[in-house]
Amino acid sequence: MMGSLGLLHTPALGSLPLSSSKVTHFPTRNKQHLAIQIPIGVTSGSQKFLGHQTFLFAPRISIYRRVQDSSTISALVTDDSSTMTSAEEDTDNIGILGSDPGLEQYKDHFKYRVRKYAEQKALFEKYERGLEEFAQGYLKFGFNREEDGIMYREWAPAAQEAQLIGDFNGWNGANHNMERNQFGVWSIKVPDSGENPAIPHNSRVKFRFKHGDGVWVDRIPAWIKYATVDPASFGAPYDGVYWDPPSSERYQFKYPRPPKPKAPRIYEAHVGMSSSEPRINSYREFADDILPRIRANNYNTVQLMAVMEHSYYASFGYHVTSFFAVSSRSGTPEDLKYLIDKAHSLGLRVLMDVVHSHASNNVTDGLNGFDVGQNSQESYFHTGDRGYHKLWDSRLFNYANWEVLRFLLSNLRWWLEEFKFDGFRFDGVTSMLYHHHGVNMAFTGNYDEYFSEATDADAVLYLMLANSLIHNILPDATVIAEDVSGMPGLGWPVFEGGIGFDYRLAMAIPDKWIDYLKNKIDIDWSMKEISWGLTNRRYTEKCISYAESHDQAIVGDKTIAFLLMDKEMYSGMSCLTDASPTIDRGIALHKMIHFITMALGGEGYLNFMGNEFGHPEWIDFPREGNGWSYEKCRRQWDLVELEHLRYKFMNAFDRAMNLLDDKFLFLASTKQIVSSTDEEDKVIVFERGDLIFVFNFHPENAYDGYKVGCDLPGKYRVALDSDALEFGGHGRVGHEADHFTSPEGIPGVPETNFNNRPNSFKVLSPPRTCVVYYRVEEKEEESNAIDLVGAIKTLTADAGGAQQKIFKVSAYVEDKDIGTNPSNV
């Protein structure tokens, strides 16, 4: 339900009054339709997927501009209401409709979306001096230092009376009563006492208010920047903490943000469980000990989970209680800034896992504590069933509320500007997009599933505003949507009618791998199905592929390594004995599954912390059922550092995969051609950029002189070989051999070519092996190229003052600049 925003005079602070109407009028193709949400189209379309054989990515707009640069939308964004009346004519040429003819029948949906977005922007311009100014609510709400005291404001329209309490007044608010304006904003200014601040830094504070039942309750301020709990008191509620360190203690950033990579290679990490010891790790320890590992494996982006404060540790950070506060388990706000600055110094961008899809159901220490039975226009959340997620046991935001928009949009700007994050991964986007939240919904790709009364128009508008804001503040930001539905336009720019994300997580891929590993024997794996599953995405919208994430590592599930090798990981990983068939198969398929997912599954790649080396066991957070143990809530880094264990082979291959992309930029290439999916041979051949990938999934068959098609003629050499000895393989592929192409058929007539490719060359393809070939340029022949093929070399690199062993891994690429400098490893 998207309520109508009233056009009443509104001060800079306070809620813009909303219409009390329970329904909104939406246009349909042929008539006016009274509906709760966006209407369904008259006829249905089907999801436009890529073919699984041969295709090229079409170029798409990837550079964000400010909305006012777009003729379609900027004409609507004015403070003159007369312009709004011409919205129908001004939205006839919406850019996204030209990308897919199947969307044309849903033109009314997109016109409505664009018009409401423009109207909302105009309201921000009229009442708040624009979207970006509106998203600086943290400068007005919460605690803010003024020249002679501290100003505190809180939006709580359901409160009858309110007080500020804390250590500074002995938790007695009698002398600190707050005043309410007509929009439900309570405020108080606490004057300084001489040279002493009114509220000492790092002291506890709370908001006390009386609601309609005459009951007084204490709550953590909604905009609090830090919250802590007494570690010695079991089950104690959190306290808000006034955080305003003196300049001598305030962290000063030293390093600029790294440039945006052509393709993100993301390392998903959880700071708390990153220690090798059974305890909670700190931001500074993560920065000093873990970031160098990530950089050594050639990732260019870190995605941090569980940053926002959450009282329940086992929620993985997804039940947020304080949205502007860093998780105090791992340190202070200044400690987190140190981590991000350290990442930037290593050339790593940092994304934050942001949770705006729901909030913790906690009352005493969560935002839900401000809900005391009032209507949804005076609350952060919807009332009734619409305000509660039954599966998650959490509250759902009312995205049509003016102050909710201020709170969430300001939250994004806060993390970008105060902590220098480089972007976000939005959690639970599917739940936001639809009233059914994706529960018990099997998306088939039919367009009616995306553009119907089930679509939450308020949430769509919020996400458009959020992405516009993020890219206006930080044009090079990376913003990723965790969406399983595949809604068309999710990854299309806002100024062309899309929702504005840079990437969508390809969430169906890990499910397919789990299904194969659990339910199919190797010989029954379908090459066409694997290829189809990896390439089944909208070619105009980018995806982040991953074989597994934190979801597959949680207690009760199994990682790919554990599915492949199970209990033998405890006894069969020693290099001092021959590998068992289970271990040999497990390591081989672990490498192949992750690599083909990276190479064929998207325009970026993600790996969860520890999966790069096949970390054994699942993650089990401390809970009553395990005796509150941290034993399985950590990462056993020593496994990959011990020379006699085989974990090092999977880690080495992970490093080489990333280095290959660093060298050849195949993830960013719009050229992706699958030329062969042979079910009998169990071989997949494809091109990404100008690299040729050959994956042989057959458990037994080796093919000598196996013909593979390619685009460009010339000489090809091995670029990466999963069967190399340094990756735990058998060393069956020669790396010194030159592979010369032969022309196939009539030039320019694909049907006469080999697998529709104009050239071919022959290779050796051992079972359960993937080999990548690159074309040798003439200039490389004349240069003194350094061949990186060779045994793993152990180097000692200085990791921010701490000595850490880094195993230098060959990627089999020829580059005289790589291999001589440890920083390139």
Side-chain angles (χ1 to χ4, degrees):
M1 185 271 290
M2 184 177 289
S4 303
L5 291 174
L7 299 179
L8 303 178
H9 173 70
T10 308
L13 293 177
S15 299
L16 190 62
L18 299 176
S19 167
S20 60
S21 174
K22 298 299 183 183
V23 295
T24 304
H25 290 278
F26 298 87
T28 61
R29 295 181 66 201
N30 301 317
K31 63 180 180 178
Q32 282 295 106
H33 179 66
L34 190 63
I36 297 175
Q37 287 298 324
I38 298 174
I40 194 167
V42 173
T43 60
S44 61
S46 60
Q47 177 64 290
K48 183 179 180 182
F49 289 127
L50 290 176
H52 66 285
Q53 288 295 325
T54 303
F55 52 86
L56 289 171
F57 283 131
R60 67 172 289 263
I61 298 174
S62 59
I63 300 175
Y64 276 79
R65 299 175 294 177
R66 291 180 181 269
V67 170
Q68 51 262 40
D69 293 338
S70 170
S71 59
T72 301
I73 295 179
S74 63
L76 305 180
V77 184
T78 70
D79 58 3
D80 183 73
S81 60
S82 63
T83 306
M84 299 298 180
T85 63
S86 62
E88 290 290 335
E89 296 110 23
D90 288 334
T91 57
D92 281 340
N93 299 310
I94 299 173
I96 190 174
L97 300 181
S99 71
D100 182 355
L103 296 176
E104 183 65 30
Q105 64 181 298
Y106 303 97
K107 185 174 182 177
D108 288 329
H109 166 95
F110 287 97
K111 288 172 66 176
Y112 174 82
R113 172 194 292 184
V114 168
R115 185 173 69 254
K116 296 307 291 184
Y117 170 81
E119 290 173 355
Q120 188 68 64
K121 291 264 290 184
L123 291 171
F124 289 152
E125 291 287 344
K126 186 171 186 177
Y127 296 108
E128 302 279 354
R129 297 190 295 275
L131 172 61
E132 294 177 40
E133 183 82 8
F134 179 69
Q136 286 185 308
Y138 49 83
L139 299 180
K140 302 170 184 176
F141 285 86
F143 295 89
N144 286 283
R145 167 149 288 287
E146 297 186 351
E147 184 176 354
D148 55 350
I150 296 171
M151 175 62 73
Y152 170 56
R153 295 186 180 96
E154 196 73 67
W155 180 64
Q160 304 301 308
E161 298 180 49
Q163 299 175 345
L164 174 62
I165 59 173
D167 291 329
F168 76 100
N169 64 8
W171 300 93
N172 184 347
N175 294 323
H176 292 89
N177 291 298
M178 302 177 70
E179 296 181 356
R180 183 189 192 275
N181 69 12
Q182 70 265 40
F183 301 106
V185 176
W186 295 86
S187 63
I188 184 173
K189 184 172 183 179
V190 186
D192 293 333
S193 177
E195 296 183 358
N196 296 320
I199 304 174
H201 162 62
N202 206 18
S203 64
R204 296 175 299 167
V205 290
K206 280 193 174 181
F207 175 64
R208 175 173 288 171
F209 71 94
K210 183 174 73 173
H211 56 76
D213 293 336
V215 178
W216 286 86
V217 294
D218 297 347
R219 299 292 184 253
I220 294 179
W223 298 71
I224 200 70
K225 307 304 192 302
Y226 194 46
T228 60
V229 64
D230 182 1
S233 180
F234 179 78
Y238 275 67
D239 291 308
V241 173
Y242 175 66
W243 191 260
D244 185 24
S247 57
S248 60
E249 298 177 18
R250 191 180 298 273
Y251 187 83
Q252 301 296 324
F253 286 92
K254 304 177 182 64
Y255 300 95
R257 288 184 168 102
K260 187 175 184 176
K262 294 184 179 297
R265 301 188 299 272
I266 302 170
Y267 196 87
E268 184 185 37
H270 186 287
V271 172
M273 56 167 288
S274 64
S275 174
S276 60
E277 301 172 4
R279 60 175 176 84
I280 296 176
N281 211 16
S282 72
Y283 296 122
R284 289 183 175 267
E285 288 171 313
F286 182 92
D288 294 338
D289 301 335
I290 310 304
L291 286 178
R293 292 180 180 274
I294 299 171
R295 178 66 265 180
N297 269 44
N298 297 304
Y299 289 91
N300 56 34
T301 306
V302 181
Q303 179 180 299
L304 292 182
M305 305 174 63
V307 172
M308 306 162 87
E309 187 58 86
H310 51 290
S311 64
Y312 183 42
Y313 189 42
S315 73
F316 239 133
Y318 292 121
H319 279 213
V320 176
T321 46
S322 293
F323 284 76
F324 287 81
V326 307
S327 177
S328 59
R329 291 181 183 87
S330 294
T332 69
E334 312 312 305
D335 295 332
L336 178 60
K337 292 174 185 177
Y338 171 83
L339 184 162
I340 295 170
D341 204 28
K342 181 66 175 288
H344 288 167
S345 76
L346 295 172
L348 292 166
R349 285 162 62 90
V350 186
L351 307 182
M352 175 177 161
D353 204 345
V354 69
V355 186
H356 283 182
S357 51
H358 63 130
S360 170
N361 200 29
N362 289 17
V363 171
T364 57
D365 49 16
L367 201 60
N368 191 35
F370 286 81
D371 190 337
V372 289
Q374 69 268 39
N375 63 59
S376 62
Q377 294 180 16
E378 296 185 340
S379 172
Y380 287 98
F381 310 108
H382 286 292
T383 58
D385 289 342
R386 191 178 177 189
Y388 179 70
H389 199 298
K390 295 179 181 179
L391 290 185
W392 293 348
D393 186 29
S394 56
R395 297 304 308 274
L396 299 174
F397 287 106
N398 177 7
Y399 300 107
N401 188 295
W402 188 266
E403 291 304 323
V404 172
L405 289 178
R406 188 199 305 274
F407 183 81
L408 295 177
L409 292 169
S410 297
N411 190 234
L412 297 173
R413 184 163 189 171
W414 167 255
W415 292 110
L416 286 176
E417 298 203 331
E418 182 71 13
F419 292 90
K420 308 299 182 187
F421 277 99
D422 302 294
F424 300 98
R425 178 261 200 193
F426 274 71
D427 179 70
V429 170
T430 306
S431 177
M432 299 173 71
L433 293 174
Y434 310 100
H435 291 299
H436 53 63
H437 309 301
V439 178
N440 297 321
M441 180 68 185
F443 291 93
T444 65
N446 187 306
Y447 280 9
D448 286 349
E449 296 167 351
Y450 308 114
F451 311 116
S452 74
E453 294 180 0
T455 307
D456 190 330
D458 299 337
V460 170
L461 176 58
Y462 164 67
L463 290 172
M464 292 173 70
L465 292 168
N467 279 302
S468 178
L469 172 72
I470 293 166
H471 288 100
N472 282 351
I473 294 172
L474 185 62
D476 283 342
T478 298
V479 192
I480 303 168
E482 188 213 28
D483 169 50
V484 73
S485 74
M487 174 183 272
L490 188 70
W492 198 267
V494 171
F495 62 81
E496 295 205 349
I499 296 179
F501 287 98
D502 298 296
Y503 298 90
R504 178 180 66 83
L505 285 179
M507 299 181 68
I509 294 176
D511 292 339
K512 177 58 66 176
W513 288 125
I514 291 171
D515 175 56
Y516 265 45
L517 292 171
K518 287 183 176 180
N519 302 314
K520 291 181 182 287
I521 61 173
D522 296 3
I523 201 66
D524 289 341
W525 288 20
S526 169
M527 301 300 100
K528 286 181 170 59
E529 193 171 70
I530 290 173
S531 175
W532 169 259
L534 291 170
T535 60
N536 184 10
R537 60 188 186 274
R538 296 178 62 80
Y539 70 84
T540 55
E541 300 181 39
K542 296 181 180 180
C543 287
I544 301 294
S545 66
Y546 62 104
E548 53 186 338
S549 70
H550 68 272
D551 289 324
Q552 288 72 43
I554 296 175
V555 61
D557 208 338
K558 289 185 178 181
T559 63
I560 287 177
F562 219 49
L563 283 168
L564 287 166
M565 296 175 278
D566 207 66
K567 62 182 180 181
E568 288 202 32
M569 295 190 76
Y570 299 111
S571 59
M573 296 298 283
S574 173
C575 298
L576 303 179
T577 60
D578 291 339
S580 70
T582 297
I583 295 297
D584 190 62
R585 169 184 178 269
I587 291 178
L589 288 179
H590 187 276
K591 292 179 290 185
M592 295 181 72
I593 288 170
H594 285 84
F595 191 33
I596 196 171
T597 298
M598 177 194 202
L600 200 55
E603 292 70 48
Y605 177 69
L606 178 143
N607 169 74
F608 176 65
M609 179 174 66
N611 287 347
E612 69 275 13
F613 65 86
H615 196 288
E617 301 179 333
W618 53 47
I619 299 167
D620 193 5
F621 281 89
R623 55 188 174 86
E624 186 176 3
N626 66 12
W628 304 103
S629 171
Y630 287 87
E631 184 59 34
K632 288 183 170 60
C633 193
R634 61 190 180 109
R635 298 284 87 178
Q636 299 180 54
W637 302 109
D638 58 310
L639 295 176
V640 75
E641 293 174 350
L642 294 173
E643 275 289 315
H644 71 278
L645 294 183
R646 289 189 166 89
Y647 294 98
K648 67 181 181 182
F649 296 136
M650 290 177 282
N651 187 68
F653 189 73
D654 178 78
R655 182 179 299 151
M657 283 167 36
N658 288 322
L659 183 58
L660 186 74
D661 181 60
D662 220 23
K663 166 67 176 176
F664 292 100
L665 303 176
F666 63 85
L667 276 175
S669 175
T670 57
K671 178 183 177 182
Q672 180 168 309
I673 301 170
V674 179
S675 60
S676 178
T677 52
D678 195 302
E679 297 291 17
E680 183 177 352
D681 295 341
K682 298 298 177 188
V683 173
I684 300 174
V685 180
F686 62 91
E687 297 166 49
R688 191 75 190 266
D690 291 328
L691 295 177
I692 314 298
F693 296 76
V694 183
F695 282 77
N696 181 357
F697 281 95
H698 202 287
E700 298 175 351
N701 290 356
Y703 306 107
D704 195 5
Y706 197 81
K707 184 188 284 190
V708 299
C710 64
D711 183 16
L712 302 175
K715 180 171 67 175
Y716 288 79
R717 290 179 183 163
V718 171
L720 179 61
D721 169 21
S722 70
D723 194 50
L725 296 174
E726 46 267 57
F727 303 138
H730 300 282
R732 291 166 289 192
V733 177
H735 301 141
E736 304 300 326
D738 292 330
H739 303 268
F740 293 92
T741 61
S742 299
E744 295 286 346
I746 303 171
V749 186
E751 58 267 25
T752 68
N753 299 159
F754 176 74
N755 289 337
N756 292 318
R757 309 310 293 142
N759 294 281
S760 71
F761 59 92
K762 294 181 179 181
V763 302
L764 170 65
S765 181
R768 291 189 181 128
T769 294
C770 50
V771 183
V772 186
Y773 298 87
Y774 75 104
R775 183 170 174 268
V776 180
E777 302 286 348
E778 290 185 5
K779 62 181 180 180
E780 292 185 38
E781 287 291 294
E782 300 170 359
S783 69
N784 295 320
I786 296 177
D787 187 6
L788 297 188
V789 179
I792 301 174
K793 300 177 182 179
T794 302
L795 300 180
T796 302
D798 184 75
Q803 292 297 315
Q804 175 188 351
K805 275 192 172 181
I806 299 177
F807 297 111
K808 183 174 174 61
V809 180
S810 158
Y812 314 146
V813 296
E814 293 186 347
D815 189 322
K816 62 183 179 180
D817 294 324
I818 299 179
T820 59
N821 184 352
S823 66
N824 287 328
V825 178

